[in-house]
Amino acid sequence: MASESTCQHSSEEDSLACEMKNFAIEKRRGRGAVTSGLTHECGVFGAIGCGEWPTTLEISQIICWGLVALQHRGQESAGIVTSEGKCSKYFNIVKGMGLISNIFNDQAIRKLKGSIGIGHTRYSTSAASEEVNCQPFVVHTQHGALAVAHNGELVNCDSLRKMVLGRGVGLSTHSDSELITQALCLNPPEGESNGPDWPARIKHLMQLAPLSYSLVIMLKNKIYAVRDPYGNRPLCLGKILAQNEPLDGDCDDSREAEGWVVSSESCGFLSIGAQYVREVFPGEIIEMTRHGIRTIDIVERPEDKIQAFCIFEYVYFARADSIFEGQMVYAVRMQCGRQLAIEHPVEADIVSSVPESGTAAAHGFSRQSGISFSEVLCKNRYVGRSFIQPSNRLRQLSIAKKFGALSGSVKGKRVLLIDDSIVRGNTIGPIIKLLRNAGATEVHIRVASPPLLYPCYMGINIPTTEELIANKLDADELAVAVGANSLKYLSVEGLIKAVRSDIKSKNAHKVGHCTACLTGEYPGGEPHKDLDW
Ligand SMILES: O=P(O)(O)OC[C@H]1O[C@H](OP(=O)(O)OP(=O)(O)O)[C@H](O)[C@@H]1O
Ligand SMILES: NC(=O)CC[C@H](N)C(=O)O
Ligand code: SF4
Ligand SMILES: [Mg+2]
């Protein structure tokens, strides 16, 4: 595997650039580098049975299926922790490297007894992809066991780390998720009169570190579901209904819950018999017990800061059948395609997509432009990630072998091809070559998101600034480099317009999206300046 050398700056001006490059390199150490796309994030999931315990719900199986539905968010490792509700000293734990289906066999599921549990599927952003960093993290405190699963990345990790270490706590990993877990264990300096006040501890942590996380935190008999005050990472609630109850339609309070689930995305709810209820609000702390769910608190964002839900969840990360902000991801992707057709029309015989994530936008483009949609590529679902290859030729081939061309649809045609994003620019070139070899007379590229220009510090492994192709070539230069007849990106305004066109709440204060990787405007301020708020 190719290794990157750290940057040594020679002058004052170079210092900041070097610091940022080294930060990005450091973050990637110990993880499998990839040649294409953005690497995902993590998925968190929690489930609890209502009424008398032990519950009749198969909690560990529900969590396992919930995690399978979140597998696209992380494929490096996974874990489930359950509690039988009686003993605060003992949790059942199964964690391991690899995919959910490899880790959770029948024996593991049987071991995970309990009426309550949380789970995690990981793509590492802080600390290596190793067994010690697998989540949920479990610690044994003075007040019983505590388990934490985290999606996101603490922007001010360093200062929080110093604070926790300064209180005499030893950390066993470099994971920001372990840091969160240990920070929650700290006894407040002013003391607690009536046992541990977990909501107060969580709130204090949220004030110290407002970005970025969705958390599920489990004690022996309750779960706290927590979303950061910016709402940067997604989190939503579902209600498990009795068998045979219809799961569609608006959530109806009168229907009794057999259990509750909380998840990064709603895409798995129907398959586990859960009805989508709502999102966890930015800054909200929800307590889930066998008696039901209730909001404990809503922690405010720092003054003047707006909500900052990751816009790339819509573009690429989330599964198309998930719901965010009252709208289905698939519908937003289609709207992006419509907007793209308005911004960058082109004469072509067919509209098509780079599967998977580009497909909804291609349908939107097709409807807006009247050019018919036709599939031109088959994706080989058994080719995994293309790890760094020693030569450029192998790099290109490793991408090309993911796809095959449907020659019958392409021969003699002017093809308009939509992809959701271009990151390093490795995917699109080999595909254009493939289509030309299959007889396409013209290949025009339309990208359903703006150029990616800046790194992400909030839980997404975006390549270093130098690796992002948009920092080297503008759209016209890239078209020439990849052999396209034309290449255009959706504008930032167009993406925002598409994302917000159907959001029910038009209240400006309540709607806001992080676009930092596109605009360089970071929701919590410039990350390399002051992270301590
Ligand atoms: O410019 P590059 O660095 O080559 O990466 C961009 C490609 O990577 C992603 O696809 P991916 O195959 O990861 O996932 P998908 O199946 O969801 O589209 C994305 O949808 C683009 O197609
Ligand atoms: N992608 C994520 O959300 C990662 C969570 C956490 N920062 C970790 O590295 O484990
Ligand atoms: S910088 Fe980009 S990927 Fe990161 S949270 Fe913001 S929109 Fe999402
Ligand atoms: Mg793709």
Side-chain angles (χ1 to χ4, degrees):
M1 190 176 289
S3 70
E4 278 172 291
S5 55
T6 47
C7 174
Q8 308 284 328
H9 62 269
S10 49
S11 70
E12 249 331 90
E13 303 95 84
D14 293 340
S15 148
L16 182 60
C18 276
E19 208 177 294
M20 290 186 76
K21 182 180 177 199
N22 289 340
F23 179 77
I25 292 171
E26 201 50 50
K27 281 196 340 169
R28 291 170 46 184
R29 270 200 181 121
R31 291 180 286 124
V34 290
T35 55
S36 73
L38 299 174
T39 37
H40 297 68
E41 27 185 347
C42 291
V44 296
F45 196 90
I48 185 166
C50 289
E52 290 304 311
W53 284 5
T55 176
T56 52
L57 293 176
E58 302 83 359
I59 289 293
S60 55
Q61 193 63 67
I62 289 171
I63 299 171
C64 180
W65 286 342
L67 290 179
V68 168
L70 298 177
Q71 185 77 83
H72 60 284
R73 297 182 74 86
Q75 298 96 34
E76 293 179 349
S77 63
I80 297 179
V81 178
T82 59
S83 161
E84 289 165 64
K86 300 175 289 251
C87 175
S88 65
K89 289 199 181 123
Y90 188 72
F91 283 172
N92 301 306
I93 306 170
V94 175
K95 298 201 267 184
M97 301 301 294
L99 299 179
I100 317 290
S101 54
N102 298 336
I103 303 166
F104 300 104
N105 53 21
D106 290 349
Q107 196 190 351
I109 294 293
R110 272 198 302 275
K111 182 184 167 192
L112 289 164
K113 290 191 185 64
S115 301
I116 176 173
I118 62 172
H120 187 266
T121 180
R122 180 169 192 241
Y123 184 85
S124 52
T125 58
S126 108
S129 178
E130 292 171 354
E131 202 119 10
V132 285
N133 296 316
C134 291
Q135 299 193 39
F137 275 98
V138 177
V139 289
H140 297 274
T141 76
Q142 200 185 355
H143 310 288
L146 176 79
V148 175
H150 168 216
N151 166 214
E153 189 169 5
L154 286 189
V155 177
N156 62 342
C157 190
D158 287 349
S159 55
L160 191 70
R161 202 174 169 85
K162 270 189 212 134
M163 190 274 276
V164 169
L165 293 174
R167 296 276 297 275
V169 175
L171 295 164
S172 57
T173 72
H174 292 280
S175 161
D176 57 346
S177 314
E178 189 205 2
L179 185 60
I180 290 174
T181 314
Q182 290 294 354
L184 290 172
C185 296
L186 295 177
N187 291 324
E190 65 279 12
E192 285 164 328
S193 49
N194 206 6
D197 185 348
W198 292 108
R201 290 176 182 216
I202 294 169
K203 184 173 178 180
H204 184 59
L205 173 73
M206 292 168 81
Q207 285 159 340
L208 283 176
L211 258 176
S212 117
Y213 43 84
S214 281
L215 299 169
V216 284
I217 301 167
M218 186 176 81
L219 302 168
K220 74 168 182 185
N221 56 2
K222 62 177 69 164
I223 294 172
Y224 291 105
V226 178
R227 196 163 169 215
D228 76 48
Y230 289 83
N232 183 251
R233 304 260 63 98
L235 194 63
C236 64
L237 290 165
K239 191 186 205 180
I240 302 179
L241 297 175
Q243 238 175 353
N244 304 328
E245 285 264 4
L247 300 172
D248 60 339
D250 284 342
C251 183
D252 175 358
D253 281 349
S254 66
R255 284 156 87 188
E256 206 181 319
E258 294 214 332
W260 289 90
V261 290
V262 58
S263 172
S264 296
E265 291 181 40
S266 57
C267 54
F269 283 4
L270 295 183
S271 65
I272 54 168
Q275 184 183 36
Y276 175 79
V277 176
R278 68 167 172 91
E279 290 188 313
V280 176
F281 303 128
E284 192 178 17
I285 305 171
I286 294 178
E287 184 192 68
M288 304 167 74
T289 68
R290 67 192 180 87
H291 306 295
I293 61 162
R294 68 187 179 113
T295 301
I296 297 283
D297 211 334
I298 298 188
V299 177
E300 295 292 321
R301 281 186 290 282
E303 233 173 280
D304 303 335
K305 303 286 189 203
I306 53 165
Q307 191 171 312
F309 177 50
C310 169
I311 210 156
F312 251 79
E313 290 283 352
Y314 284 116
V315 172
Y316 171 71
F317 298 131
R319 225 171 77 170
D321 54 338
S322 286
I323 297 167
F324 298 137
E325 303 177 294
Q327 49 188 354
M328 199 159 262
V329 170
Y330 188 88
V332 173
R333 289 184 185 160
M334 268 192 63
Q335 193 57 35
C336 289
R338 283 184 178 277
Q339 181 66 27
L340 197 52
I342 295 167
E343 291 184 13
H344 300 295
V346 65
E347 281 195 17
D349 300 311
I350 52 170
V351 176
S352 198
S353 70
V354 180
E356 302 272 336
S357 314
T359 305
H363 282 291
F365 196 111
S366 165
R367 290 196 193 176
Q368 182 69 33
S369 62
I371 306 170
S372 60
F373 176 88
S374 177
E375 285 186 42
V376 296
L377 293 166
C378 270
K379 191 169 182 177
N380 185 336
R381 70 184 70 172
Y382 302 104
V383 177
R385 287 233 163 90
S386 347
F387 284 80
I388 283 192
Q389 301 289 343
S391 75
N392 203 37
R393 187 182 134 74
L394 283 180
R395 264 198 291 278
Q396 302 266 314
L397 285 175
S398 76
I399 303 270
K401 78 177 185 320
K402 273 193 194 172
F403 298 96
L406 297 168
S407 315
S409 320
V410 174
K411 204 169 170 48
K413 301 266 171 56
R414 294 171 299 170
V415 178
L416 169 60
L417 196 67
I418 313 269
D419 205 350
D420 59 277
S421 54
I422 291 186
V423 185
R424 293 177 180 81
N426 285 339
T427 304
I428 206 71
I431 286 177
I432 294 170
K433 203 165 165 206
L434 202 64
L435 295 178
R436 290 204 188 276
N437 286 342
T441 54
E442 291 177 22
V443 182
H444 299 268
I445 303 298
R446 294 293 178 270
V447 187
S449 65
L452 273 149
L453 298 165
Y454 304 92
C456 175
Y457 300 97
M458 288 151 287
I460 308 302
N461 180 24
I462 288 188
T464 55
T465 311
E466 303 90 85
E467 284 175 289
L468 293 168
I469 192 74
N471 283 318
K472 290 188 231 164
L473 303 173
D474 67 21
D476 292 341
E477 290 165 340
L478 184 57
V480 174
V482 297
N485 291 83
S486 71
L487 186 150
K488 303 283 178 204
Y489 294 97
L490 183 62
S491 66
V492 174
E493 302 70 37
L495 173 62
I496 293 174
K497 189 171 166 198
V499 163
R500 295 188 189 167
S501 64
D502 201 29
I503 291 184
K504 296 215 172 74
S505 155
K506 301 283 180 199
N507 181 337
H509 186 68
K510 287 205 172 145
V511 181
H513 296 95
C514 175
T515 56
C517 50
L518 313 169
T519 58
E521 289 159 23
Y522 290 88
E526 295 270 331
H528 52 275
K529 284 186 183 153
D530 180 13
L531 302 183
D532 283 344
W533 281 284

